[in-house]
Amino acid sequence: QKILLFGFSGGAQFAQRFVLAHPRRVKSAVLVAAGWYTFPDEAQPYPFGLDLSEADVDFGIDLKSVLDVPQHVIVGELDVERDSSLRKSRRLDRVQGHTRLERAYRWVEAMGEFHQAGKGAAPTFLTLPDVGHSFTAAAERACLPRHVFDRFARDAGLKPAIEEKHHG
């Protein structure tokens, strides 16, 4: 059985890296408001990129299988604070951007380049209006649970409960 994987903030970072390590175990992944991502760059060392040669990990990365996993990125349109919970470095800021919103968009764009070569489905990207880095606001004001379960339903071949407008 494959799992449906969801994570918010640090949980989204975990979920994204779980897909890298175990893509054959995941049916669909929804990544909400991650602080930063592992980019599909085989020249950059893990966890910034996919080069595992110096990493102390016990898995390999099968990029083709990773690209077969539907991944959905959701982030609040106001998630632009550079607070203490956001990992910051010159390297991360230069490559991924300064905010969760910018980092999400850049990762989806980078993954989209791989998918344009005919490998799997590109990640989807949705911004939640009037939401910053708050799970409560995302759930209460922007119907986050509905968005998550609708993506899972689509990936399982079921009809989603709502039709949504994509932002961003």
Side-chain angles (χ1 to χ4, degrees), residues 100-112:
R100 287 179 184 86
L101 179 60
E102 188 176 10
R103 291 173 181 187
Y105 181 78
R106 286 188 182 182
W107 183 77
V108 168
E109 287 289 307
M111 291 297 288

Side-chain angles (χ1 to χ4, degrees), residues 72-87:
H72 309 282
V73 175
I74 301 174
V75 63
E77 70 177 0
L78 304 178
D79 201 345
V80 296
E81 298 261 337
R82 287 179 57 83
D83 59 16
S84 62
S85 68
L86 180 68
R87 184 170 181 171

Side-chain angles (χ1 to χ4, degrees), residues 77-165:
E77 70 177 0
L78 304 178
D79 201 345
V80 296
E81 298 261 337
R82 287 179 57 83
D83 59 16
S84 62
S85 68
L86 180 68
R87 184 170 181 171
K88 299 176 268 303
S89 73
R90 287 183 187 178
R91 176 189 216 167
L92 275 176
D93 292 349
R94 183 182 70 251
V95 174
Q96 298 194 20
H98 289 85
T99 68
R100 287 179 184 86
L101 179 60
E102 188 176 10
R103 291 173 181 187
Y105 181 78
R106 286 188 182 182
W107 183 77
V108 168
E109 287 289 307
M111 291 297 288
E113 291 177 16
F114 276 85
H115 291 283
Q116 286 177 353
K119 303 170 185 160
T124 65
F125 181 76
L126 175 70
T127 56
L128 301 175
D130 196 33
V131 172
H133 193 69
S134 167
F135 182 84
T136 301
E140 292 177 357
R141 280 188 279 190
C143 303
L144 178 61
R146 172 74 47 96
H147 292 296
V148 171
F149 287 109
D150 281 351
R151 277 160 179 71
F152 288 158
R154 281 189 184 107
D155 294 339
L158 305 171
K159 184 178 175 169
I162 61 170
E163 292 298 320
E164 42 182 57
K165 297 177 184 173

